C-alpha cells in the first residue's frame, strides 16, 4: 500500500518527524516560497496532511491541495489558517493549546522583568568591560513588584501571567478581554476594565491576544498615547496586533518608557527595523513557547492531531469543530463499509 503523503513545514522536533517518517511519506520544507516552489507545489498535490509552523494556508494553497484532509499547526495561534476556505473544503484544522501555557507565561514575565530592570543592556555593560566604577543611577531600572499590571487577553496564557504577577510579585492586576473571567478574577485578584481604562492605569501593559480580524492593528498611536509616560509595553501575541510604526513613534517621542517584544510585524525581523537600535527595547526572536520540553510536547500533540485526522478520528485539539460535524457521518460510514 502506498504511504500517505505528508508535508512538514518549518518546525517539527526531530523524534516526532522520524516517527512520522516511519509511517508516512513525509517531506520537510523550510525557507521556501510556497507560492512558487515547484517541488513544494508538486508534492502538495497529493498531500493528505500538513504539519508545521506558520504555513500560510490560504485559497491559493488549497486549490493546489485537492487531497488535503488536515492541517496541524505546531502552535497555539492559527492566524496563518484561512478557516473559511478550509471549511468550504471540509479540511480539519488543529493547534497545540495547553502544553505551552506556562512556558509562554514564563517567557512573557521574563521579558517584562528584563525590560523593567534593563537586564540585556546591563549584561552588555558588564561584558563589554564598562563596569569600572560603582553603579550610577543612569543604569537603574524600575520596580515590578507591587505595581499595576494590565493584561489584554485573559485566555489561558493571560491567566498564567496573572498567576505569576499575583502570587509572585504582589501586583495589582487589571485585565481586558472579550469575555469577563469571574473565576480568574477571584483566583488572581484581577479586575476587569475597559481597554482605555487599563491603558491609562497600568504601569505595565501586556498584550497576549490571538491575532484575528478584530485584533489586527488594534493597539496604535491613540492607545500608546493613553498609556502612562512611564509605562512599559510587552507584546507576546503577534506583531500585527499592534501598529508597529506607531510603537516606534511613541517610543521616540517618550510617550511610553520602554517595550519588550517577542513578536514583530515581519519575522524574522528586518535588520533595518528602528526598534533594533533602541536601548529601551528588549527583543526576542518569537520564542514564547520555545523550550526543549515544550517544543517537543507541541510537536507530539500536533502529530497526534495529524494522525487522528488522517485516520478519520476526531483530533484532540480541533479548531474547526463545524468541519468535523460535517465529515463525521461520512467518516463513520466509510469505517463501517470497510
Ligand atoms: C506561538 O506563538 C504560538 O502560537 O504557539
Amino acid at each position: 500500500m502506498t504511504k500517505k503523503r505528508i508535508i512538514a513545514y518549518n518546525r517539527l522536533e526531530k523524534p516526532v518527524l522520524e516517527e512520522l517518517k516511519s509511517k508516512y511519506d513525509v517531506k520537510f520544507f523550510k525557507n521556501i516560497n510556497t507560492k512558487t516552489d515547484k517541488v513544494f507545489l508538486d508534492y502538495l498535490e497529493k498531500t493528505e496532511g500538513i504539519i508545521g509552523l506558520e504555513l500560510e494556508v490560504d485559497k491559493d494553497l488549497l486549490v493546489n491541495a485537492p487531497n488535503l484532509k488536515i492541517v496541524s499547526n505546531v502552535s497555539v495561534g492559527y492566524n496563518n489558517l484561512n478557516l473559511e476556505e478550509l471549511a468550504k473544503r471540509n479540511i480539519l484544522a488543529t493547534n497545540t493549546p495547553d502544553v505551552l501555557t506556562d512556558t509562554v507565561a514564563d517567557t512573557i514575565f521574563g521579558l517584562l522583568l528584563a525590560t523593567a530592570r534593563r537586564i540585556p543592556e546591563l549584561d552588555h555593560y558588564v561584558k563589554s568591560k564598562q563596569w569600572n566604577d560603582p553603579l550610577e543611577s543612569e543604569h537603574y531600572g524600575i520596580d515590578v513588584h507591587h505595581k499595576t499590571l494590565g493584561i489584554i487577553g485573559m485566555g489561558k496564557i493571560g491567566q498564567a501571567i496573572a498567576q505569576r504577577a499575583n502570587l509572585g510579585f504582589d501586583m495589582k492586576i487589571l485585565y481586558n478581554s472579550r469575555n469577563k473571567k469571574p473565576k480568574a478574577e477571584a483566583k488572581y485578584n484581577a479586575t476587569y476594565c475597559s481597554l482605555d481604562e487599563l491603558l491609562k492605569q497600568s504601569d505595565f501593559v501586556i498584550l497576549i491576544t490571538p491575532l484575528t480580524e478584530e485584533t489586527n492593528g488594534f493597539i496604535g498611536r491613540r492607545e500608546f498615547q493613553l498609556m502612562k509616560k512611564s509605562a512599559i509595553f510587552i507584546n507576546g501575541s503577534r506583531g500585527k496586533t499592534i501598529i508597529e510604526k506607531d510603537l516606534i513613534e511613541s517610543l521616540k517621542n517618550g510617550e511610553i518608557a520602554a517595550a519588550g517584544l517577542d513578536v514583530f510585524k515581519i519575522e524574522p525581523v528586518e535588520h533595518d527595523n528602528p526598534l533594533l537600535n533602541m536601548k529601551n527595547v528588549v527583543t526576542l526572536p518569537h520564542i514564547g513557547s520555545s523550550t526543549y520540553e515544550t517544543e517537543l510536547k507541541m510537536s507530539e500533540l500536533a502529530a497526534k492531531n495529524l494522525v487522528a485526522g488522517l485516520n478519520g478520528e476526531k483530533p484532540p485539539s480541533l479548531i474547526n469543530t463545524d468541519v468535523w460535524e460535517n465529515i463525521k457521518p461520512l467518516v463513520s460510514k466509510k469505517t463501517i463499509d470497510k
Side-chain angles (χ1 to χ4, degrees):
M1 214 172 74
T2 53
K3 284 180 174 176
K4 289 183 177 166
R5 233 179 223 199
I6 304 298
I7 284 179
Y9 186 76
N10 264 354
R11 191 186 296 156
L12 192 65
E13 293 308 300
K14 217 166 169 205
V16 178
L17 180 62
E18 292 311 315
E19 171 74 16
L20 288 179
K21 277 185 174 170
S22 70
K23 292 192 198 130
Y24 304 107
D25 177 7
V26 186
K27 209 168 179 75
F28 185 80
F29 292 90
K30 195 176 180 172
N31 291 335
I32 54 153
N33 183 337
T34 57
K35 307 267 181 217
T36 56
D37 190 286
K38 193 149 170 13
V39 181
F40 175 81
L41 291 171
D42 280 351
Y43 200 79
L44 184 62
E45 204 191 329
K46 289 198 181 133
T47 287
E48 292 187 46
I50 293 176
I51 182 166
L53 181 71
E54 284 170 0
L55 174 63
E56 202 58 44
V57 178
D58 54 12
K59 189 174 172 188
D60 285 353
L61 183 135
L62 292 172
V63 292
N64 289 310
N67 293 296
L68 193 60
K69 293 190 174 60
I70 177 162
V71 181
S72 170
N73 262 9
V74 189
S75 62
V76 67
Y78 49 85
N79 47 288
N80 60 313
L81 307 179
N82 185 329
L83 292 178
E84 218 174 291
E85 292 296 331
L86 286 165
K88 278 186 201 162
R89 296 164 175 82
N90 274 337
I91 298 171
L92 297 170
T94 62
N95 66 342
T96 57
D98 304 325
V99 290
L100 49 55
T101 301
D102 283 312
T103 300
V104 177
D106 285 354
T107 306
I108 302 303
F109 220 88
L111 190 53
L112 188 153
L113 287 170
T115 313
R117 300 298 304 272
R118 302 167 61 183
I119 290 172
E121 192 188 328
L122 295 174
D123 171 70
H124 175 74
Y125 174 74
V126 176
K127 287 181 186 162
S128 61
K129 305 185 175 66
Q130 297 177 64
W131 183 29
N132 299 313
D133 297 306
L135 205 67
E136 301 274 353
S137 60
E138 66 183 289
H139 298 296
Y140 296 171
I142 63 160
D143 277 334
V144 171
H145 63 85
H146 296 95
K147 294 279 182 71
T148 299
L149 172 65
I151 303 174
I152 306 171
M154 198 62 147
K156 287 174 189 165
I157 299 171
Q159 290 179 40
I161 293 168
Q163 182 192 34
R164 284 150 178 77
N166 174 240
L167 296 175
F169 292 81
D170 276 325
M171 298 177 90
K172 177 177 170 188
I173 300 168
L174 306 176
Y175 79 97
N176 180 266
S177 65
R178 258 180 316 177
N179 306 308
K180 285 192 181 182
K181 307 282 165 121
K183 276 193 199 147
E185 288 182 20
K187 218 166 155 187
Y188 308 121
N189 203 11
T191 307
Y192 179 87
C193 65
S194 71
L195 180 64
D196 287 7
E197 214 40 57
L198 179 151
L199 297 171
K200 282 185 207 160
Q201 289 187 30
S202 300
D203 299 303
F204 303 96
V205 174
I206 291 181
L207 181 61
I208 190 72
T209 50
L211 172 63
T212 61
E213 263 172 39
E214 215 184 332
T215 63
N216 197 332
F218 91 125
I219 301 292
R221 197 70 188 270
R222 186 192 83 88
E223 287 69 30
F224 291 121
Q225 284 175 338
L226 280 177
M227 293 181 201
K228 295 180 181 178
K229 282 194 163 46
S230 57
I232 290 182
F233 172 70
I234 305 290
N235 193 1
S237 65
R238 286 291 184 268
K240 288 183 182 156
T241 48
I242 70 163
I243 300 171
E244 202 172 82
K245 66 173 181 25
D246 288 3
L247 171 65
I248 293 166
E249 278 311 301
S250 290
L251 284 163
K252 271 191 193 155
N253 294 330
E255 288 160 8
I256 62 168
L261 307 170
D262 186 35
V263 289
F264 297 86
K265 184 175 166 200
I266 296 175
E267 294 178 4
V269 68
E270 291 173 305
H271 293 174
D272 61 353
N273 187 322
L275 290 165
L276 305 193
N277 293 323
M278 294 183 174
K279 257 174 114 172
N280 53 347
V281 173
V282 177
T283 58
L284 288 175
H286 199 152
I287 53 125
S289 56
S290 298
T291 60
Y292 288 112
E293 300 93 326
T294 295
E295 283 292 349
L296 183 59
K297 283 185 198 154
M298 288 165 73
S299 283
E300 285 168 349
L301 176 55
K304 248 190 216 166
N305 284 325
L306 176 86
V307 173
L310 291 172
N311 289 341
E313 290 154 16
K314 187 177 177 185
S317 34
L318 184 62
I319 298 164
N320 50 3
T321 42
D322 47 335
V323 169
W324 173 250
E325 291 307 320
N326 273 345
I327 64 171
K328 197 166 62 174
L330 309 173
V331 169
S332 49
K333 182 170 182 313
K334 229 168 65 185
T335 317
I336 295 161
D337 286 350
K338 263 192 211 161

